[in-house]
Amino acid sequence: ETGVTQTPRHLVMGMTNKKSLKCEQHLGHNAMYWYKQSAKKPLELMFVYNFKEQTENNSVPSRFSPECPNSSHLFLHLHTLQPEDSALYLCASSGGTVFEKLFFGSGTQLSVL
Amino acid sequence: AQKVTQAQTEISVVEKEDVTLDCVYETRDTTYYLFWYKQPPSGELVFLIRRNSFDEQNEISGRYSWNFQKSTSSFNFTITASQVVDSAVYFCALRGAGTASKLTFGTGTRLQVTL
């Protein structure tokens, strides 16, 4: 079993749909992250949670709504997305200190039609 | 502001060739951390190495080696005797030591190793 598990692996949704991405980590980490990966762009940090509290929101539009019910689970709720939101969404976790490496999930490939 | 530049978008090599992936960074922090991650076709980024700004020793791990040069703000990654399994996208990243510092990634270099 991998350390960070993301579901679903692929998601196609219309602009009026509501869907959620799920991330689960089995590493005992305190920090969890959402990143967006678009073609030919650097990974964009979206949200950071430490001990279930959101510590960073990197100017993400409100159509993306994160939820962290506990240190092991992280959700990204999606509502009225735009085609330009199509990307690979990666979840990661770490122990929480600045020098620690991140452990990533395999991502959810999202297509917005 | 921090910035990481990976000027090589794609590199193709034949198996057993050596290949170097370039990474140049910018930061105002005096203490910072540099990372390399590998993203295979399966999607998840895999940590390869972390280097502290105060440790300029080069590092070798099997076929992988890293050349950290503070004078040129570079942290290059060399794969010796490349293999098909090395085919992936490789990301260089930088983070300052302050708690408010963010991990900044480069745009990645796609490495294709063919037989």
Side-chain angles (χ1 to χ4, degrees), chain B residues 1-47:
Chain B
Q2 298 180 155
K3 186 178 179 182
V4 176
T5 301
Q6 294 181 257
Q8 303 150 309
T9 306
E10 288 192 41
I11 300 176
S12 280
V13 298
V14 177
E15 203 176 38
K16 297 183 185 174
E17 286 185 7
D18 299 347
V19 58
T20 296
L21 310 181
D22 298 332
C23 173
V24 174
Y25 62 91
E26 296 174 29
T27 180
R28 293 178 183 166
D29 292 333
T30 52
T31 301
Y32 50 89
Y33 303 92
L34 293 161
F35 303 80
W36 275 96
Y37 284 84
K38 173 183 179 181
Q39 186 178 35
S42 54
E44 79 281 11
L45 276 77
V46 177
F47 168 83

mmCIF file of all heavy atoms in Angstrom, chain B residues 1-47:
data_model
loop_
_atom_site.group_PDB
_atom_site.id
_atom_site.type_symbol
_atom_site.label_atom_id
_atom_site.label_comp_id
_atom_site.label_asym_id
_atom_site.label_seq_id
_atom_site.Cartn_x
_atom_site.Cartn_y
_atom_site.Cartn_z
ATOM 1 N N ALA B 1 11.849 37.134 -3.558
ATOM 2 C CA ALA B 1 11.080 36.066 -4.211
ATOM 3 C C ALA B 1 12.021 34.944 -4.643
ATOM 4 O O ALA B 1 13.184 35.176 -4.940
ATOM 5 C CB ALA B 1 10.347 36.627 -5.413
ATOM 6 N N GLN B 2 11.495 33.768 -4.654
ATOM 7 C CA GLN B 2 12.274 32.600 -5.051
ATOM 8 C C GLN B 2 11.928 32.219 -6.480
ATOM 9 O O GLN B 2 10.813 32.431 -6.940
ATOM 10 C CB GLN B 2 11.943 31.405 -4.162
ATOM 11 C CG GLN B 2 12.256 31.605 -2.706
ATOM 12 C CD GLN B 2 11.910 30.386 -1.888
ATOM 13 O OE1 GLN B 2 12.478 30.174 -0.843
ATOM 14 N NE2 GLN B 2 10.979 29.594 -2.361
ATOM 15 N N LYS B 3 12.901 31.628 -7.135
ATOM 16 C CA LYS B 3 12.664 31.165 -8.499
ATOM 17 C C LYS B 3 13.565 29.981 -8.788
ATOM 18 O O LYS B 3 14.724 29.958 -8.358
ATOM 19 C CB LYS B 3 12.953 32.288 -9.495
ATOM 20 C CG LYS B 3 12.592 31.956 -10.931
ATOM 21 C CD LYS B 3 12.869 33.144 -11.836
ATOM 22 C CE LYS B 3 12.538 32.836 -13.291
ATOM 23 N NZ LYS B 3 12.844 33.973 -14.192
ATOM 24 N N VAL B 4 13.022 29.000 -9.500
ATOM 25 C CA VAL B 4 13.812 27.844 -9.928
ATOM 26 C C VAL B 4 13.652 27.717 -11.439
ATOM 27 O O VAL B 4 12.534 27.667 -11.935
ATOM 28 C CB VAL B 4 13.323 26.556 -9.225
ATOM 29 C CG1 VAL B 4 14.089 25.355 -9.751
ATOM 30 C CG2 VAL B 4 13.486 26.682 -7.719
ATOM 31 N N THR B 5 14.772 27.644 -12.126
ATOM 32 C CA THR B 5 14.745 27.559 -13.581
ATOM 33 C C THR B 5 15.351 26.247 -14.047
ATOM 34 O O THR B 5 16.496 25.925 -13.721
ATOM 35 C CB THR B 5 15.520 28.731 -14.213
ATOM 36 O OG1 THR B 5 14.934 29.965 -13.794
ATOM 37 C CG2 THR B 5 15.464 28.646 -15.739
ATOM 38 N N GLN B 6 14.564 25.513 -14.782
ATOM 39 C CA GLN B 6 15.052 24.301 -15.444
ATOM 40 C C GLN B 6 14.912 24.564 -16.936
ATOM 41 O O GLN B 6 13.838 24.402 -17.500
ATOM 42 C CB GLN B 6 14.238 23.089 -15.003
ATOM 43 C CG GLN B 6 14.426 22.742 -13.535
ATOM 44 C CD GLN B 6 13.620 21.515 -13.143
ATOM 45 O OE1 GLN B 6 12.572 21.627 -12.520
ATOM 46 N NE2 GLN B 6 14.109 20.351 -13.509
ATOM 47 N N ALA B 7 15.987 24.991 -17.524
ATOM 48 C CA ALA B 7 15.934 25.468 -18.907
ATOM 49 C C ALA B 7 15.675 24.349 -19.918
ATOM 50 O O ALA B 7 15.131 24.587 -20.990
ATOM 51 C CB ALA B 7 17.235 26.190 -19.260
ATOM 52 N N GLN B 8 16.053 23.141 -19.568
ATOM 53 C CA GLN B 8 15.869 22.013 -20.486
ATOM 54 C C GLN B 8 14.448 21.482 -20.333
ATOM 55 O O GLN B 8 14.100 20.934 -19.294
ATOM 56 C CB GLN B 8 16.872 20.897 -20.183
ATOM 57 C CG GLN B 8 18.317 21.318 -20.231
ATOM 58 C CD GLN B 8 19.147 20.489 -19.265
ATOM 59 O OE1 GLN B 8 18.808 20.369 -18.098
ATOM 60 N NE2 GLN B 8 20.240 19.917 -19.744
ATOM 61 N N THR B 9 13.654 21.614 -21.371
ATOM 62 C CA THR B 9 12.279 21.126 -21.304
ATOM 63 C C THR B 9 12.242 19.611 -21.505
ATOM 64 O O THR B 9 11.555 18.900 -20.770
ATOM 65 C CB THR B 9 11.428 21.813 -22.379
ATOM 66 O OG1 THR B 9 11.553 23.220 -22.243
ATOM 67 C CG2 THR B 9 9.972 21.424 -22.245
ATOM 68 N N GLU B 10 12.955 19.153 -22.523
ATOM 69 C CA GLU B 10 12.985 17.721 -22.822
ATOM 70 C C GLU B 10 14.383 17.320 -23.240
ATOM 71 O O GLU B 10 15.074 18.071 -23.944
ATOM 72 C CB GLU B 10 12.017 17.377 -23.960
ATOM 73 C CG GLU B 10 10.569 17.448 -23.581
ATOM 74 C CD GLU B 10 9.659 16.816 -24.624
ATOM 75 O OE1 GLU B 10 10.009 15.751 -25.160
ATOM 76 O OE2 GLU B 10 8.616 17.405 -24.901
ATOM 77 N N ILE B 11 14.787 16.146 -22.798
ATOM 78 C CA ILE B 11 16.078 15.585 -23.207
ATOM 79 C C ILE B 11 15.843 14.138 -23.633
ATOM 80 O O ILE B 11 15.137 13.403 -22.936
ATOM 81 C CB ILE B 11 17.101 15.605 -22.052
ATOM 82 C CG1 ILE B 11 17.349 17.021 -21.555
ATOM 83 C CG2 ILE B 11 18.406 14.954 -22.495
ATOM 84 C CD1 ILE B 11 18.274 17.081 -20.342
ATOM 85 N N SER B 12 16.429 13.767 -24.742
ATOM 86 C CA SER B 12 16.372 12.365 -25.189
ATOM 87 C C SER B 12 17.780 11.821 -25.262
ATOM 88 O O SER B 12 18.657 12.455 -25.856
ATOM 89 C CB SER B 12 15.733 12.261 -26.576
ATOM 90 O OG SER B 12 14.348 12.319 -26.485
ATOM 91 N N VAL B 13 17.980 10.667 -24.681
ATOM 92 C CA VAL B 13 19.289 10.007 -24.739
ATOM 93 C C VAL B 13 19.076 8.536 -25.040
ATOM 94 O O VAL B 13 17.982 7.990 -24.851
ATOM 95 C CB VAL B 13 20.081 10.161 -23.430
ATOM 96 C CG1 VAL B 13 20.359 11.634 -23.145
ATOM 97 C CG2 VAL B 13 19.367 9.516 -22.268
ATOM 98 N N VAL B 14 20.144 7.914 -25.467
ATOM 99 C CA VAL B 14 20.126 6.476 -25.696
ATOM 100 C C VAL B 14 20.653 5.809 -24.425
ATOM 101 O O VAL B 14 21.536 6.337 -23.751
ATOM 102 C CB VAL B 14 20.995 6.101 -26.915
ATOM 103 C CG1 VAL B 14 21.040 4.591 -27.098
ATOM 104 C CG2 VAL B 14 20.456 6.792 -28.164
ATOM 105 N N GLU B 15 20.092 4.675 -24.128
ATOM 106 C CA GLU B 15 20.490 3.950 -22.914
ATOM 107 C C GLU B 15 22.012 3.853 -22.817
ATOM 108 O O GLU B 15 22.715 3.643 -23.809
ATOM 109 C CB GLU B 15 19.869 2.560 -22.914
ATOM 110 C CG GLU B 15 19.746 1.969 -21.514
ATOM 111 C CD GLU B 15 19.029 0.625 -21.496
ATOM 112 O OE1 GLU B 15 19.262 -0.157 -22.436
ATOM 113 O OE2 GLU B 15 18.253 0.392 -20.555
ATOM 114 N N LYS B 16 22.492 3.991 -21.590
ATOM 115 C CA LYS B 16 23.914 3.928 -21.234
ATOM 116 C C LYS B 16 24.627 5.256 -21.401
ATOM 117 O O LYS B 16 25.791 5.370 -20.974
ATOM 118 C CB LYS B 16 24.660 2.827 -21.977
ATOM 119 C CG LYS B 16 24.137 1.431 -21.653
ATOM 120 C CD LYS B 16 24.940 0.347 -22.347
ATOM 121 C CE LYS B 16 24.295 -1.016 -22.089
ATOM 122 N NZ LYS B 16 24.951 -2.092 -22.846
ATOM 123 N N GLU B 17 23.981 6.223 -21.998
ATOM 124 C CA GLU B 17 24.591 7.552 -22.059
ATOM 125 C C GLU B 17 24.464 8.229 -20.699
ATOM 126 O O GLU B 17 23.550 7.944 -19.927
ATOM 127 C CB GLU B 17 23.888 8.430 -23.102
ATOM 128 C CG GLU B 17 24.201 8.096 -24.540
ATOM 129 C CD GLU B 17 23.574 9.086 -25.503
ATOM 130 O OE1 GLU B 17 22.996 10.108 -25.048
ATOM 131 O OE2 GLU B 17 23.622 8.846 -26.704
ATOM 132 N N ASP B 18 25.392 9.144 -20.430
ATOM 133 C CA ASP B 18 25.280 9.997 -19.248
ATOM 134 C C ASP B 18 24.462 11.234 -19.617
ATOM 135 O O ASP B 18 24.519 11.712 -20.749
ATOM 136 C CB ASP B 18 26.664 10.433 -18.767
ATOM 137 C CG ASP B 18 27.544 9.270 -18.371
ATOM 138 O OD1 ASP B 18 27.013 8.140 -18.221
ATOM 139 O OD2 ASP B 18 28.755 9.483 -18.203
ATOM 140 N N VAL B 19 23.713 11.733 -18.635
ATOM 141 C CA VAL B 19 22.897 12.914 -18.917
ATOM 142 C C VAL B 19 22.879 13.810 -17.684
ATOM 143 O O VAL B 19 22.837 13.322 -16.543
ATOM 144 C CB VAL B 19 21.461 12.513 -19.323
ATOM 145 C CG1 VAL B 19 20.770 11.692 -18.247
ATOM 146 C CG2 VAL B 19 20.621 13.728 -19.695
ATOM 147 N N THR B 20 22.957 15.106 -17.908
ATOM 148 C CA THR B 20 22.918 16.086 -16.815
ATOM 149 C C THR B 20 21.703 16.983 -16.961
ATOM 150 O O THR B 20 21.474 17.562 -18.029
ATOM 151 C CB THR B 20 24.197 16.935 -16.792
ATOM 152 O OG1 THR B 20 25.312 16.097 -16.503
ATOM 153 C CG2 THR B 20 24.108 18.010 -15.707
ATOM 154 N N LEU B 21 20.966 17.083 -15.891
ATOM 155 C CA LEU B 21 19.792 17.952 -15.842
ATOM 156 C C LEU B 21 20.170 19.208 -15.053
ATOM 157 O O LEU B 21 20.659 19.110 -13.928
ATOM 158 C CB LEU B 21 18.616 17.244 -15.157
ATOM 159 C CG LEU B 21 18.290 15.841 -15.670
ATOM 160 C CD1 LEU B 21 17.107 15.256 -14.932
ATOM 161 C CD2 LEU B 21 18.049 15.845 -17.161
ATOM 162 N N ASP B 22 19.928 20.350 -15.661
ATOM 163 C CA ASP B 22 20.357 21.614 -15.054
ATOM 164 C C ASP B 22 19.276 22.216 -14.170
ATOM 165 O O ASP B 22 18.085 22.125 -14.459
ATOM 166 C CB ASP B 22 20.733 22.622 -16.143
ATOM 167 C CG ASP B 22 21.897 22.163 -17.001
ATOM 168 O OD1 ASP B 22 22.736 21.381 -16.490
ATOM 169 O OD2 ASP B 22 21.972 22.578 -18.172
ATOM 170 N N CYS B 23 19.727 22.884 -13.114
ATOM 171 C CA CYS B 23 18.810 23.599 -12.227
ATOM 172 C C CYS B 23 19.524 24.847 -11.735
ATOM 173 O O CYS B 23 20.613 24.757 -11.155
ATOM 174 C CB CYS B 23 18.407 22.725 -11.043
ATOM 175 S SG CYS B 23 17.421 23.595 -9.786
ATOM 176 N N VAL B 24 18.918 25.990 -11.957
ATOM 177 C CA VAL B 24 19.458 27.254 -11.480
ATOM 178 C C VAL B 24 18.395 27.897 -10.604
ATOM 179 O O VAL B 24 17.212 27.884 -10.950
ATOM 180 C CB VAL B 24 19.818 28.185 -12.656
ATOM 181 C CG1 VAL B 24 20.246 29.542 -12.142
ATOM 182 C CG2 VAL B 24 20.927 27.571 -13.500
ATOM 183 N N TYR B 25 18.812 28.454 -9.488
ATOM 184 C CA TYR B 25 17.819 28.992 -8.561
ATOM 185 C C TYR B 25 18.156 30.419 -8.161
ATOM 186 O O TYR B 25 19.297 30.874 -8.317
ATOM 187 C CB TYR B 25 17.736 28.099 -7.313
ATOM 188 C CG TYR B 25 19.016 28.023 -6.531
ATOM 189 C CD1 TYR B 25 19.296 28.908 -5.489
ATOM 190 C CD2 TYR B 25 19.975 27.057 -6.840
ATOM 191 C CE1 TYR B 25 20.481 28.844 -4.791
ATOM 192 C CE2 TYR B 25 21.170 26.991 -6.144
ATOM 193 C CZ TYR B 25 21.414 27.877 -5.121
ATOM 194 O OH TYR B 25 22.592 27.815 -4.433
ATOM 195 N N GLU B 26 17.148 31.100 -7.642
ATOM 196 C CA GLU B 26 17.312 32.450 -7.116
ATOM 197 C C GLU B 26 16.616 32.510 -5.767
ATOM 198 O O GLU B 26 15.471 32.069 -5.628
ATOM 199 C CB GLU B 26 16.668 33.498 -8.042
ATOM 200 C CG GLU B 26 17.284 33.605 -9.416
ATOM 201 C CD GLU B 26 16.512 34.556 -10.305
ATOM 202 O OE1 GLU B 26 15.886 35.505 -9.780
ATOM 203 O OE2 GLU B 26 16.506 34.343 -11.537
ATOM 204 N N THR B 27 17.300 33.080 -4.791
ATOM 205 C CA THR B 27 16.703 33.274 -3.481
ATOM 206 C C THR B 27 17.464 34.345 -2.740
ATOM 207 O O THR B 27 18.658 34.523 -2.957
ATOM 208 C CB THR B 27 16.702 31.972 -2.659
ATOM 209 O OG1 THR B 27 16.098 32.221 -1.384
ATOM 210 C CG2 THR B 27 18.098 31.418 -2.452
ATOM 211 N N ARG B 28 16.778 35.034 -1.837
ATOM 212 C CA ARG B 28 17.436 36.027 -0.990
ATOM 213 C C ARG B 28 17.776 35.433 0.375
ATOM 214 O O ARG B 28 18.445 36.064 1.172
ATOM 215 C CB ARG B 28 16.525 37.241 -0.800
ATOM 216 C CG ARG B 28 16.293 38.028 -2.067
ATOM 217 C CD ARG B 28 15.349 39.175 -1.845
ATOM 218 N NE ARG B 28 15.080 39.889 -3.094
ATOM 219 C CZ ARG B 28 14.093 40.754 -3.252
ATOM 220 N NH1 ARG B 28 13.276 41.021 -2.267
ATOM 221 N NH2 ARG B 28 13.914 41.374 -4.408
ATOM 222 N N ASP B 29 17.278 34.237 0.614
ATOM 223 C CA ASP B 29 17.557 33.594 1.889
ATOM 224 C C ASP B 29 19.011 33.151 1.958
ATOM 225 O O ASP B 29 19.593 32.720 0.951
ATOM 226 C CB ASP B 29 16.651 32.381 2.093
ATOM 227 C CG ASP B 29 15.203 32.774 2.288
ATOM 228 O OD1 ASP B 29 14.967 33.896 2.768
ATOM 229 O OD2 ASP B 29 14.320 31.956 1.980
ATOM 230 N N THR B 30 19.579 33.239 3.145
ATOM 231 C CA THR B 30 20.949 32.746 3.311
ATOM 232 C C THR B 30 20.960 31.267 3.658
ATOM 233 O O THR B 30 21.930 30.563 3.412
ATOM 234 C CB THR B 30 21.675 33.529 4.417
ATOM 235 O OG1 THR B 30 20.865 33.506 5.603
ATOM 236 C CG2 THR B 30 21.887 34.978 4.001
ATOM 237 N N THR B 31 19.860 30.812 4.233
ATOM 238 C CA THR B 31 19.710 29.384 4.516
ATOM 239 C C THR B 31 18.525 28.872 3.718
ATOM 240 O O THR B 31 17.440 29.442 3.789
ATOM 241 C CB THR B 31 19.484 29.126 6.015
ATOM 242 O OG1 THR B 31 20.591 29.639 6.752
ATOM 243 C CG2 THR B 31 19.346 27.640 6.281
ATOM 244 N N TYR B 32 18.744 27.838 2.981
ATOM 245 C CA TYR B 32 17.667 27.300 2.142
ATOM 246 C C TYR B 32 17.946 25.829 1.854
ATOM 247 O O TYR B 32 19.020 25.307 2.169
ATOM 248 C CB TYR B 32 17.519 28.093 0.838
ATOM 249 C CG TYR B 32 18.811 28.295 0.072
ATOM 250 C CD1 TYR B 32 19.241 27.366 -0.883
ATOM 251 C CD2 TYR B 32 19.610 29.410 0.305
ATOM 252 C CE1 TYR B 32 20.416 27.553 -1.571
ATOM 253 C CE2 TYR B 32 20.792 29.607 -0.384
ATOM 254 C CZ TYR B 32 21.194 28.682 -1.317
ATOM 255 O OH TYR B 32 22.376 28.866 -2.002
ATOM 256 N N TYR B 33 16.945 25.187 1.275
ATOM 257 C CA TYR B 33 17.036 23.765 0.976
ATOM 258 C C TYR B 33 16.685 23.539 -0.493
ATOM 259 O O TYR B 33 15.731 24.128 -1.010
ATOM 260 C CB TYR B 33 16.062 22.971 1.867
ATOM 261 C CG TYR B 33 16.312 23.208 3.337
ATOM 262 C CD1 TYR B 33 15.639 24.203 4.024
ATOM 263 C CD2 TYR B 33 17.248 22.442 4.023
ATOM 264 C CE1 TYR B 33 15.881 24.446 5.362
ATOM 265 C CE2 TYR B 33 17.497 22.676 5.364
ATOM 266 C CZ TYR B 33 16.811 23.681 6.026
ATOM 267 O OH TYR B 33 17.063 23.909 7.345
ATOM 268 N N LEU B 34 17.452 22.693 -1.117
ATOM 269 C CA LEU B 34 17.233 22.344 -2.516
ATOM 270 C C LEU B 34 16.844 20.877 -2.606
ATOM 271 O O LEU B 34 17.357 20.044 -1.859
ATOM 272 C CB LEU B 34 18.502 22.587 -3.336
ATOM 273 C CG LEU B 34 18.905 24.057 -3.465
ATOM 274 C CD1 LEU B 34 20.365 24.165 -3.871
ATOM 275 C CD2 LEU B 34 18.012 24.756 -4.475
ATOM 276 N N PHE B 35 15.949 20.573 -3.522
ATOM 277 C CA PHE B 35 15.426 19.218 -3.674
ATOM 278 C C PHE B 35 15.397 18.828 -5.150
ATOM 279 O O PHE B 35 15.281 19.680 -6.030
ATOM 280 C CB PHE B 35 13.978 19.123 -3.155
ATOM 281 C CG PHE B 35 13.764 19.539 -1.733
ATOM 282 C CD1 PHE B 35 13.662 20.885 -1.391
ATOM 283 C CD2 PHE B 35 13.636 18.587 -0.739
ATOM 284 C CE1 PHE B 35 13.446 21.278 -0.085
ATOM 285 C CE2 PHE B 35 13.409 18.969 0.581
ATOM 286 C CZ PHE B 35 13.316 20.311 0.902
ATOM 287 N N TRP B 36 15.473 17.537 -5.376
ATOM 288 C CA TRP B 36 15.133 16.958 -6.675
ATOM 289 C C TRP B 36 14.073 15.894 -6.449
ATOM 290 O O TRP B 36 14.171 15.094 -5.508
ATOM 291 C CB TRP B 36 16.352 16.323 -7.354
ATOM 292 C CG TRP B 36 17.199 17.280 -8.128
ATOM 293 C CD1 TRP B 36 18.325 17.927 -7.705
ATOM 294 C CD2 TRP B 36 16.989 17.704 -9.478
ATOM 295 N NE1 TRP B 36 18.817 18.724 -8.709
ATOM 296 C CE2 TRP B 36 18.029 18.606 -9.806
ATOM 297 C CE3 TRP B 36 16.038 17.399 -10.461
ATOM 298 C CZ2 TRP B 36 18.141 19.212 -11.064
ATOM 299 C CZ3 TRP B 36 16.149 17.999 -11.705
ATOM 300 C CH2 TRP B 36 17.184 18.897 -12.003
ATOM 301 N N TYR B 37 13.062 15.936 -7.337
ATOM 302 C CA TYR B 37 12.007 14.932 -7.335
ATOM 303 C C TYR B 37 11.909 14.322 -8.726
ATOM 304 O O TYR B 37 12.134 14.986 -9.728
ATOM 305 C CB TYR B 37 10.650 15.552 -6.979
ATOM 306 C CG TYR B 37 10.445 15.883 -5.530
ATOM 307 C CD1 TYR B 37 10.902 17.087 -5.000
ATOM 308 C CD2 TYR B 37 9.791 15.000 -4.679
ATOM 309 C CE1 TYR B 37 10.708 17.395 -3.666
ATOM 310 C CE2 TYR B 37 9.589 15.301 -3.338
ATOM 311 C CZ TYR B 37 10.056 16.509 -2.843
ATOM 312 O OH TYR B 37 9.860 16.802 -1.519
ATOM 313 N N LYS B 38 11.501 13.064 -8.761
ATOM 314 C CA LYS B 38 11.281 12.350 -10.023
ATOM 315 C C LYS B 38 9.793 12.042 -10.149
ATOM 316 O O LYS B 38 9.171 11.561 -9.195
ATOM 317 C CB LYS B 38 12.089 11.040 -10.019
ATOM 318 C CG LYS B 38 11.818 10.123 -11.197
ATOM 319 C CD LYS B 38 12.614 8.830 -11.052
ATOM 320 C CE LYS B 38 12.344 7.878 -12.218
ATOM 321 N NZ LYS B 38 13.108 6.605 -12.080
ATOM 322 N N GLN B 39 9.225 12.313 -11.321
ATOM 323 C CA GLN B 39 7.823 11.987 -11.567
ATOM 324 C C GLN B 39 7.741 10.985 -12.720
ATOM 325 O O GLN B 39 7.795 11.345 -13.886
ATOM 326 C CB GLN B 39 7.009 13.235 -11.908
ATOM 327 C CG GLN B 39 5.506 12.957 -12.027
ATOM 328 C CD GLN B 39 4.705 14.210 -12.319
ATOM 329 O OE1 GLN B 39 5.156 15.104 -13.031
ATOM 330 N NE2 GLN B 39 3.492 14.297 -11.767
ATOM 331 N N PRO B 40 7.610 9.699 -12.394
ATOM 332 C CA PRO B 40 7.461 8.686 -13.444
ATOM 333 C C PRO B 40 6.077 8.778 -14.074
ATOM 334 O O PRO B 40 5.236 9.544 -13.588
ATOM 335 C CB PRO B 40 7.653 7.368 -12.678
ATOM 336 C CG PRO B 40 7.265 7.693 -11.275
ATOM 337 C CD PRO B 40 7.601 9.139 -11.053
ATOM 338 N N PRO B 41 5.819 8.012 -15.114
ATOM 339 C CA PRO B 41 4.499 8.070 -15.770
ATOM 340 C C PRO B 41 3.328 7.784 -14.833
ATOM 341 O O PRO B 41 2.213 8.230 -15.104
ATOM 342 C CB PRO B 41 4.619 6.998 -16.855
ATOM 343 C CG PRO B 41 6.072 6.965 -17.170
ATOM 344 C CD PRO B 41 6.776 7.191 -15.854
ATOM 345 N N SER B 42 3.561 7.095 -13.743
ATOM 346 C CA SER B 42 2.474 6.792 -12.806
ATOM 347 C C SER B 42 1.958 8.047 -12.099
ATOM 348 O O SER B 42 0.862 8.026 -11.530
ATOM 349 C CB SER B 42 2.936 5.764 -11.776
ATOM 350 O OG SER B 42 4.119 6.202 -11.148
ATOM 351 N N GLY B 43 2.720 9.114 -12.111
ATOM 352 C CA GLY B 43 2.202 10.397 -11.628
ATOM 353 C C GLY B 43 2.755 10.918 -10.319
ATOM 354 O O GLY B 43 2.896 12.123 -10.149
ATOM 355 N N GLU B 44 3.048 10.040 -9.355
ATOM 356 C CA GLU B 44 3.470 10.570 -8.061
ATOM 357 C C GLU B 44 4.911 11.053 -8.116
ATOM 358 O O GLU B 44 5.765 10.429 -8.719
ATOM 359 C CB GLU B 44 3.311 9.504 -6.961
ATOM 360 C CG GLU B 44 4.393 8.449 -6.886
ATOM 361 C CD GLU B 44 4.235 7.365 -7.935
ATOM 362 O OE1 GLU B 44 3.425 7.521 -8.856
ATOM 363 O OE2 GLU B 44 4.967 6.366 -7.838
ATOM 364 N N LEU B 45 5.174 12.189 -7.499
ATOM 365 C CA LEU B 45 6.550 12.676 -7.415
ATOM 366 C C LEU B 45 7.266 11.901 -6.323
ATOM 367 O O LEU B 45 6.739 11.713 -5.224
ATOM 368 C CB LEU B 45 6.589 14.166 -7.087
ATOM 369 C CG LEU B 45 6.438 15.120 -8.266
ATOM 370 C CD1 LEU B 45 4.999 15.223 -8.708
ATOM 371 C CD2 LEU B 45 6.989 16.494 -7.902
ATOM 372 N N VAL B 46 8.480 11.493 -6.629
ATOM 373 C CA VAL B 46 9.273 10.720 -5.688
ATOM 374 C C VAL B 46 10.505 11.527 -5.307
ATOM 375 O O VAL B 46 11.246 12.000 -6.184
ATOM 376 C CB VAL B 46 9.695 9.370 -6.305
ATOM 377 C CG1 VAL B 46 10.580 8.607 -5.339
ATOM 378 C CG2 VAL B 46 8.469 8.553 -6.682
ATOM 379 N N PHE B 47 10.730 11.672 -4.027
ATOM 380 C CA PHE B 47 11.874 12.436 -3.521
ATOM 381 C C PHE B 47 13.171 11.719 -3.885
ATOM 382 O O PHE B 47 13.309 10.504 -3.726
ATOM 383 C CB PHE B 47 11.743 12.549 -2.003
ATOM 384 C CG PHE B 47 12.960 13.045 -1.291
ATOM 385 C CD1 PHE B 47 13.229 14.393 -1.199
ATOM 386 C CD2 PHE B 47 13.854 12.146 -0.705
ATOM 387 C CE1 PHE B 47 14.340 14.848 -0.526
ATOM 388 C CE2 PHE B 47 14.968 12.601 -0.031
ATOM 389 C CZ PHE B 47 15.219 13.957 0.063
#
